[in-house]
Amino acid sequence: MKKWSSSFSSMADSKLFLLVFLLCTVLAESGIVAEVKQTQSRGEPFVGVNIGTDVSNLLSPADLVAFLKLQDIGHVRLYDADPDILKALARTKIRVIVSVPNNQLLAIGSSNVTAATWIGRNVVAYYPETLITAIAVGDEVLTTVLSSAPLLLPAIEALYSALVAANLHTEIKISTPHAASIILDPFPPSQAFFNQTLNPIILPLLQFLSKTGSPLMMNLYPYYVFMQNKGVVPLDNSLFKPLTPSKEMVDPNTLLHYTNVLDAMIDSVYCSMKNLNVTDVTVLVTESGWPSRGDSKEPYATIDNADTYNSNLIKHVLDHSGTPLHPELTSSVYIYELFNEDLRSPPVSEANWGLFHGNSTPVYLLHVSGSGTFLANDTTNQTYCIAMDGVDARTLQAALDWACGPGRANCSEIQPGEGCYQPNNVKNHASYAFDSYYQKEGRGSGSCDFKGVAMITTTDPSHGSCIFPGSKKISNKTKEAINVTEASGAAEQLRLITVGSQINKGSHIFWAFVAFFVVHYSFLL
């Protein structure tokens, strides 16, 4: 090879360089970044997830990214700029918002050099291999760390200047997430307005967002609206449940009907901006969700309510539903959050906002069938067979013995020391055996009866490290049985699949150039 390369003439070198340059240009334009630009230009609303890390035994960055791919999650928000996660996200189609923690605002807002260093270390070092789409500067600064509020806009402007210097200001937006409480008198939406004591900060911030084409980031939680207004705000309105016209909220000034609390919250933001003569800034919901468990003071923090809220939220966004005030605008939403953060301080609900436990088993299974490719844990058409409540242990034991014996169910997981042995009781073991038989029989009619002691459910009975047979689904990506907890084992396989899935029409151009390059290569020889 060395002898061959030394025989090139200067003209041949020039031709080779030109070809390599053209080849690299095609690669750049036909790759993932070009595809992302095309998607962004369409302005399609999306659903993403927030990833908090106060989780014991959090997945490794590589396994986390494999899990995100497995669940068809294409947008994530980080609460910092974790270098290991950003590296793991490289060369994927997953878009990410990185964040400046509140405790870094003072340094960044006081020094352009510090801001430029932050951009260099946390953005430029990863982009475009890692698809960073936005920077969230601080979190709810105006309501949680008011002492830092005067530095919020200077920090944003300093970071933006650094993006301009890196020529990334048109690719990466910059904003700051706010709590809903910066808006007073939020219903009816037409009467909403920003807390006037904050206007000296909010107005120039909105003007900056307007100038740069960045969204106003808002953390909006109908759960808290409902909890603070029980008896006034119906639960059904908060959960996106279908309403009769008489139960719809009506804005008396616009006569617009609101069928859910989130739309009313979003429109209150638009009305508040309009009151400050800002009408060209869109709302991005950076947090919304519902807790699945709470203490005695939080009786509505339940799995059923969390499932209902998040399932309906996803459908609402992906159906391009818009809001009554702006039916043409559908805000994208980041669900709070991906994992239960079990290390969070009380109340109990603080540790129970996740869609999944830290080991990646689902807390509950969403019902989002037909709403696009977001999350693989959809049980609309997934059923399980479990033991009924209130059945005496002797009857259950007889049914269990039949399932594991003549029924030939796979009962290995309920043997001592195995993943589903605990809790060691006949009802738990019978449920696993019943589901094993039911799934083996293709969920056929009559395969979940066991003389009247079994029932079909759409709620996944898996718990902890015990994964029921019905959850070991056939992945659409691999056509192989993939346990939803086996992100680690699936990681390498998913990486290979991702390479294959990225072949698009741009790659045809690439291979055409490769062919041309090979022909010219031979000519030079």
Side-chain angles (χ1 to χ4, degrees):
M1 178 66 73
K2 289 181 180 178
K3 182 179 179 181
W4 173 83
S5 61
S6 65
S7 66
F8 274 124
S9 66
S10 60
M11 182 177 293
D13 284 336
S14 299
K15 291 181 178 179
L16 181 59
F17 174 81
L18 178 60
L19 283 168
V20 171
F21 174 78
L22 290 171
L23 189 60
C24 291
T25 301
V26 172
L27 274 170
E29 288 304 313
S30 63
I32 298 172
V33 175
E35 182 177 336
V36 171
K37 287 180 180 179
Q38 184 181 14
T39 300
Q40 289 175 334
S41 67
R42 291 196 299 265
E44 294 292 316
F46 60 81
V47 179
V49 294
N50 289 275
I51 302 179
T53 55
D54 287 336
V55 181
S56 56
N57 301 317
L58 183 67
L59 295 176
S60 70
D63 289 344
L64 171 62
V65 171
F67 180 67
L68 293 171
K69 291 178 183 178
L70 187 64
Q71 292 296 334
D72 292 319
I73 295 173
H75 297 264
V76 299
R77 175 186 170 216
L78 306 180
Y79 288 96
D80 52 19
D82 185 290
D84 294 327
I85 295 178
L86 290 175
K87 287 177 186 174
L89 286 168
R91 294 175 294 280
T92 71
K93 295 182 181 181
I94 299 171
R95 290 79 154 168
V96 57
I97 294 179
V98 296
S99 301
V100 178
N102 288 342
N103 60 12
Q104 296 181 24
L105 287 177
L106 176 61
I108 292 174
S110 304
S111 168
N112 288 338
V113 173
T114 303
T117 300
W118 195 94
I119 291 294
R121 180 181 298 127
N122 299 297
V123 178
V124 176
Y126 303 101
Y127 188 88
E129 286 79 13
T130 298
L131 297 174
I132 298 171
T133 57
I135 301 170
V137 184
D139 187 46
E140 301 187 354
V141 174
L142 300 185
T143 50
T144 58
V145 282
L146 196 54
S147 60
S148 297
L151 288 169
L152 180 58
L153 188 56
I156 290 174
E157 290 177 331
L159 291 166
Y160 180 75
S161 295
L163 285 177
V164 171
N167 198 30
L168 294 177
H169 58 293
T170 59
E171 312 296 329
I172 299 173
K173 302 303 180 182
I174 186 165
S175 186
T176 180
H178 300 285
S181 55
I182 66 169
I183 293 174
L184 303 181
D185 200 11
F187 194 86
S190 60
Q191 295 179 190
F193 59 94
F194 290 114
N195 184 335
Q196 294 180 350
T197 63
L198 301 176
N199 280 355
I201 298 171
I202 290 177
L203 180 56
L205 172 63
L206 290 175
Q207 291 168 340
F208 169 86
L209 299 177
S210 174
K211 180 181 71 174
T212 60
S214 298
L216 177 62
M217 296 177 171
M218 296 295 302
N219 298 339
L220 304 178
Y221 289 95
Y223 171 75
Y224 288 124
V225 173
F226 169 74
M227 290 296 289
Q228 293 161 9
N229 298 276
K230 282 183 290 185
V232 178
V233 177
L235 180 62
D236 286 355
N237 294 64
S238 305
L239 296 173
F240 294 93
K241 286 189 175 181
L243 302 173
T244 60
S246 63
K247 289 187 177 181
E248 293 176 355
M249 302 176 287
V250 180
D251 187 325
N253 300 312
T254 62
L255 299 182
L256 293 173
H257 288 236
Y258 286 87
T259 59
N260 66 82
V261 173
L262 184 66
D263 278 353
M265 297 180 79
I266 292 173
D267 277 355
S268 74
V269 179
Y270 281 118
C271 289
S272 298
M273 287 195 285
K274 187 176 180 180
N275 286 335
L276 294 179
N277 296 316
V278 177
T279 58
D280 59 351
V281 174
T282 59
V283 174
L284 173 64
V285 181
T286 37
E287 290 181 14
S288 192
W290 198 283
S292 60
R293 192 163 73 91
D295 56 30
S296 59
K297 296 179 181 179
E298 300 173 297
Y300 297 94
T302 66
I303 282 180
D304 284 345
N305 286 343
D307 184 355
T308 300
Y309 179 81
N310 283 321
S311 295
N312 288 336
L313 170 65
I314 293 166
K315 292 177 183 178
H316 190 66
V317 173
L318 299 184
D319 285 348
H320 297 216
S321 300
T323 66
L325 185 63
H326 286 293
E328 79 285 2
L329 292 176
T330 299
S331 295
S332 295
V333 177
Y334 288 82
I335 292 176
Y336 185 84
E337 58 187 328
L338 183 61
F339 297 120
N340 275 345
E341 293 189 88
D342 58 318
L343 302 180
R344 296 292 295 271
S345 302
V348 172
S349 63
E350 280 297 299
N352 290 279
W353 290 84
L355 301 174
F356 296 88
H357 297 289
N359 64 2
S360 77
T361 58
V363 177
Y364 50 88
L365 291 142
L366 295 166
H367 295 69
V368 293
S369 180
S371 296
T373 55
F374 177 82
L375 288 175
N377 66 337
D378 175 11
T379 59
T380 303
N381 299 310
Q382 180 65 33
T383 53
Y384 308 84
C385 182
I386 61 172
M388 296 178 65
D389 293 330
V391 179
D392 67 271
R394 180 175 298 179
T395 303
L396 275 182
Q397 185 65 55
L400 169 62
D401 292 342
W402 184 90
C404 295
R408 302 182 66 183
N410 184 351
C411 297
S412 59
E413 286 295 304
I414 54 176
Q415 300 306 309
E418 299 301 324
C420 294
Y421 180 69
Q422 297 292 345
N424 179 20
N425 59 62
V426 67
K427 184 174 185 293
N428 177 64
H429 291 177
S431 289
Y432 186 93
F434 293 172
D435 192 55
S436 176
Y437 179 81
Y438 176 65
Q439 303 298 335
K440 178 178 71 74
E441 296 297 313
R443 292 176 288 177
S445 176
S447 60
C448 181
D449 182 69
F450 299 95
K451 295 187 177 180
V453 300
M455 60 177 281
I456 293 173
T457 179
T458 58
T459 300
D460 187 356
S462 301
H463 52 87
S465 60
C466 174
I467 307 303
F468 269 55
S471 287
K472 297 173 183 177
K473 295 185 255 185
I474 301 298
S475 167
N476 289 331
K477 292 182 179 179
T478 63
K479 302 302 180 184
E480 295 177 25
I482 295 181
N483 185 317
V484 293
T485 65
E486 291 176 343
S488 177
E492 186 59 34
Q493 186 179 29
L494 282 169
R495 277 192 282 272
L496 294 172
I497 294 164
T498 302
V499 171
S501 67
Q502 290 170 0
I503 296 176
N504 51 34
K505 65 179 181 181
S507 65
H508 295 306
I509 302 173
F510 163 67
W511 287 114
F513 265 83
V514 169
F516 176 72
F517 181 80
V518 170
V519 171
H520 196 79
Y521 196 99
S522 302
F523 172 76
L524 289 173
L525 277 172

